[in-house]
Amino acid sequence: MRELFGLMKFGAKSALWAAIINTVLGIIKTAAYLITGNVAMFAEMMHSFGDAANQFFVFIGSGLSKKKPTDRFPGGFGRLVNLVLLGAVLIVGILAYETIVEGIHHIRSGAHSEDWFWLNVGVLGVAIVLEMFVLHKAMKEITHTLPKEQTKGLKIFPAAFKNVKYANPATKLVFLEDMVAVGGAVLALVAIVIATFTPFHSATGYASVIIGIMLVVVVGRIFLDNAAGVLGVADLEMQERMGNEIMKHPRIHDIQDLDVIREGDDLHVELKVEVEADMTVKEADEIRDFIAEEIKKRVPNVTDIIIEFDQVDEIVHWQKVVIKKPTE
């Protein structure tokens, strides 16, 4: 048990913050829904609890994935975060279904109440502010390696969107979920205003259905990303970057094979390089150390590197596997 709690210090901090804030928001929205009976508030309540469950699972999984390899599991536990998140998909899927069903029921019944307008507006206003706080923390984690002048003030928004694909899985999930959460809260707020001041009283029902569909989209994205992670997905962009750096070494003639596999937050690297047939073991070890040092210096989350050597075969390999960027 002590080991379990010790691993939690390595969990994604943005996911923990998001889980706590969404739990608090879920409780507040539950109270508001029980008082007002507003179906848009019901949808937002489900959304907050769904996000809290997901992000709590992310925090737990990202911590457990840092457990050191054992004799039974020599490959480590990097993919555990993906397995844990596949379980979270079931919870969010159920919440999404209930949200859509409740919205459809409200549209059909045409029920409407103009009471507690300012309570609903106040709760959703607080939700938007808190969700933006979490979103901003995720943006800071995504852009923490960029120069400060590129992330100053409002510049952090385009910088985060541009670099989110390079973020670790936990931070990327928090970022995507909180973008949807902010959008859902704004949508619910607009729906309540429309339903209160116009004859279109079923607006909150439609908002509930849309928020439910947004949850389904999040579920689909989480499932696909983590199913790929469990199988062992290749990081093609990192593969290209590493390969180009390795080819700069004057004693390396070619790269026969290079695999960069993402396991949770970590990367596993395997490569086979071509060198002269008369190279000594000492020289090969020096090249091995150079490659490992250069990779870990540029990519700190690489857990292990397996390097093999082969003699030059006069056949070009690396140019065939390099990932070409689309021409502009």
Side-chain angles (χ1 to χ4, degrees):
M1 200 66 179
R2 180 180 298 177
E3 182 186 15
L4 175 64
F5 285 110
L7 289 171
M8 290 304 100
K9 66 182 180 182
F10 299 111
K13 299 301 184 294
S14 61
L16 179 60
W17 269 105
I20 293 172
I21 288 177
N22 275 293
T23 300
V24 172
L25 285 175
I27 294 171
I28 294 172
K29 291 173 183 178
T30 299
Y33 168 68
L34 293 175
I35 293 172
T36 66
N38 190 286
V39 71
M41 188 62 70
F42 173 83
E44 274 299 293
M45 174 192 75
M46 289 294 200
H47 197 161
S48 290
F49 281 129
D51 283 354
N54 253 340
Q55 290 152 352
F56 183 71
F57 275 112
V58 169
F59 172 70
I60 296 295
S62 60
L64 293 177
S65 67
K66 302 302 182 184
K67 180 178 172 64
K68 294 182 179 179
T70 63
D71 292 338
R72 187 178 181 186
F73 301 101
F77 297 83
R79 301 183 193 184
L80 189 59
V81 64
N82 304 114
L83 286 172
V84 171
L85 275 171
L86 286 177
V89 165
L90 296 176
I91 298 174
V92 183
I94 293 171
L95 296 178
Y97 170 78
E98 292 296 333
T99 301
I100 293 172
V101 169
E102 186 68 19
I104 293 173
H105 174 73
H106 178 78
I107 293 170
R108 289 177 175 175
S109 66
H112 173 62
S113 173
E114 296 183 1
D115 300 331
W116 307 103
F117 172 76
W118 289 111
L119 175 62
N120 287 323
V121 170
V123 168
L124 290 174
V126 170
I128 292 171
V129 172
L130 292 179
E131 295 287 8
M132 285 297 296
F133 168 75
V134 176
L135 185 61
H136 186 261
K137 288 188 72 67
M139 287 180 174
K140 289 181 69 175
E141 287 193 9
I142 291 171
T143 60
H144 75 281
T145 59
L146 299 178
K148 290 185 177 180
E149 59 269 15
Q150 294 184 19
T151 60
K152 188 176 181 181
L154 296 178
K155 292 181 180 179
I156 193 171
F157 285 89
F161 279 97
K162 184 178 180 180
N163 292 275
V164 66
K165 58 184 177 181
Y166 303 117
N168 65 60
T171 303
K172 185 187 297 185
L173 177 65
V174 173
F175 176 77
L176 294 175
E177 285 196 336
D178 275 279
M179 274 205 312
V180 175
V182 171
V186 172
L187 177 63
L189 183 59
V190 172
I192 289 173
V193 172
I194 292 174
T196 302
F197 296 104
T198 73
F200 186 38
H201 300 319
S202 59
T204 51
Y206 285 102
S208 180
V209 172
I210 294 173
I211 291 171
I213 293 173
M214 292 165 68
L215 279 171
V216 170
V217 173
V218 171
V219 165
R221 178 62 184 269
I222 294 170
F223 175 80
L224 292 175
D225 284 354
N226 288 281
V230 169
L231 294 174
V233 62
D235 192 325
L236 299 181
E237 293 190 12
M238 190 62 70
Q239 177 177 306
E240 179 186 4
R241 288 171 55 191
M242 287 186 183
N244 290 337
E245 288 298 321
I246 292 168
M247 286 296 294
K248 292 179 181 179
H249 194 285
R251 302 294 300 276
I252 295 176
H253 291 264
D254 200 0
I255 299 174
Q256 285 191 10
D257 192 23
L258 173 59
D259 293 313
V260 181
I261 307 299
R262 183 168 291 281
E263 298 181 341
D265 294 341
D266 301 323
L267 295 174
H268 171 82
V269 181
E270 295 185 17
L271 72 150
K272 180 184 286 188
V273 297
E274 291 184 3
V275 296
E276 297 93 341
D278 59 350
M279 179 175 287
T280 65
V281 174
K282 181 180 179 181
E283 291 172 329
D285 281 340
E286 290 176 352
I287 294 176
R288 189 193 309 274
D289 294 339
F290 170 82
I291 293 174
E293 183 180 348
E294 287 298 307
I295 289 177
K296 289 185 176 181
K297 182 169 64 176
R298 289 173 169 77
V299 190
N301 57 329
V302 172
T303 55
D304 62 319
I305 304 171
I306 299 175
I307 304 172
E308 297 181 30
F309 294 93
D310 198 1
Q311 66 180 11
V312 179
D313 59 8
E314 304 301 335
I315 300 174
V316 177
H317 297 278
W318 174 242
Q319 283 78 356
K320 292 182 180 180
V321 298
V322 68
I323 309 302
K324 297 293 184 181
K325 295 183 179 179
T327 56
E328 296 182 356

